[in-house]
Amino acid sequence: MPDDMMDRAARLLHARQARLAKGEPVSLPLEMTSVYHLAGDPAGHKQYGRFDNATWEATEELLGLLEDAACVAFPSGMAAIAASLLAFAQSGDRILLPSDGYYTPRVLADRFLTRLGLQFDLRPTASFLDGGFDGYRIVFAETPSNPGLDICDLQAVSRVAKAAGAIVVADNTTMTPFGQRPLDLGADIVVSADTKAANGHSDALFGHVTTRDDAYLAALREWRKLSGSIPGPFEAWQVHRGLETLEVRFARMCDNAEMLAPRLRNHKAVSALRYPGLADDPSHNLARAQMDRFGFLIGLTLKDADAAEAFIERCSLLLPATSFGGLHSSAERRSRWGDDVAPGFVRLSVGCEPPGPLWAAIEDTLDTL
Ligand SMILES: *Cc1c(COP(=O)(O)O)cnc(C)c1O
């Protein structure tokens, strides 16, 4: 982790303190209100709960501190993604999406964006640069891709796509700002599902968009205000609390994943394994170049669907659940949602358990397959 990120992690923990007056609560107040006291001229004051909320602002401040950018919070990762597309796209525009990333943006494009006169194309993350980006209004990248863990070169994608006149959006959900900062690599906009590791406690949905461009920021804020895609103050409070421990959780999760990946690969029940931290993984060189850590997701393939389901159900330290990034290690057989992966492919989200018991539980379970 670069010193600068360690510095930001330290400042994050004391961000609120800087403005505290004697006698004020140290923990973030939860501002539960739809209306504000607003007599006379409303200019310059908080007006209404769809426009402003102090708890959102505090959470946006922490996310903005980590990404060195302005942040707009949303009620889910998909709300953030929808904003990043709908606040900018116009009828007739073409959008490029990853064919192997999180599937919901593709469904959104197919079901709703095409009706508005937008066209979209799909391209695999591993060959995302191939064919260039001429003619695209928005180039949306997700790296490492979920669930296949392929990587695209964000610096090259940003350079070529921006030269072609596109807005570059990067979904950074799988890495968090502690693993990768796409704005520093040239992306215009970062989106993230803070539902995952940023909150980390599997008890809230949340998302955010960050950008360093004032015009994009204004468009995103206006989109949120007019579309009503606003986060709940309580969820913002939960994510604020989650962010205070993200640095330690992310470090433990990545350490655990780095410990598990080679051991899993050497187990006879595992037929294939993807983890960007392994020196011979196809994603490794790009991961080294643009990421600070190799992440907490592992893709492992077992013999067939039955073996994968048995592994997930029998292992006492794996939560069978969709989603990822929680304190608890969890696992899911992704082809049950139609992802283009082998029937025995398991997406393992490595959590914060102590490493010894975690490997012991996983190894014992694999031994039974
Ligand atoms: C989960 C996820 C999302 C969507 O987040 P929600 O909070 O469920 O809407 C978007 N992108 C990626 C990469 C995800 O994993």
Side-chain angles (χ1 to χ4, degrees), residues 76-78 81 102 142 146 171 173-174 193 195-196 205-206 324:
S76 67
M78 275 314 300
I81 290 172
Y102 185 63
E142 182 185 314
N146 162 31
D171 186 330
T173 301
T174 54
T195 308
K196 313 286 169 58
L205 279 97
F206 205 78
F324 59 83

Side-chain angles (χ1 to χ4, degrees), residues 230-309:
I230 53 163
F234 184 57
E235 284 76 10
W237 187 92
Q238 288 174 293
V239 173
H240 188 276
R241 168 183 272 202
L243 288 170
E244 292 183 323
T245 55
L246 177 58
E247 187 261 325
V248 268
R249 284 186 289 109
F250 186 71
R252 168 63 80 89
M253 288 155 77
C254 294
D255 287 347
N256 276 349
E258 283 177 33
M259 175 276 293
L260 287 175
R263 298 181 187 195
L264 284 168
R265 190 176 53 180
N266 291 335
H267 196 284
K268 61 178 187 338
V270 175
S271 52
L273 186 132
R274 289 296 306 270
Y275 183 62
L278 295 178
D280 56 359
D281 188 88
S283 293
H284 186 66
N285 290 340
L286 275 171
R288 285 199 90 87
Q290 70 187 20
M291 287 150 51
D292 291 329
R293 297 296 309 257
F294 297 116
F296 54 80
L297 293 178
I298 297 176
L300 68 148
T301 306
L302 302 175
K303 189 172 66 210
D304 52 27
D306 286 347
E309 292 294 354

Side-chain angles (χ1 to χ4, degrees), residues 33-34 36 48-52 56 224-230:
T33 191
S34 56
Y36 291 87
Y48 184 53
R50 181 157 38 77
F51 308 171
D52 292 296
W56 305 346
R224 178 175 70 179
K225 178 173 162 179
L226 300 181
S227 69
S229 186
I230 53 163

Side-chain angles (χ1 to χ4, degrees), residues 4-5 7-9 11-12 15 55-73 176-178 180-181 183-184 190 192 194 198 206-212 217 221 239-240 243 246:
D4 181 39
M5 282 313 290
D7 187 52
R8 287 186 217 177
R11 280 193 284 140
L12 183 153
T55 313
W56 305 346
E57 283 169 18
T59 306
E60 288 171 343
E61 183 189 358
L62 298 192
L63 288 163
L65 172 66
L66 294 181
E67 296 193 36
D68 192 17
C71 174
V72 188
T176 88
F178 286 112
Q180 171 175 269
R181 288 165 304 286
L183 296 176
D184 291 349
V190 166
S192 174
D194 303 313
F206 205 78
H208 78 267
V209 182
T210 47
T211 181
R212 293 174 185 160
L217 178 67
R221 289 214 171 115
V239 173
H240 188 276
L243 288 170
L246 177 58

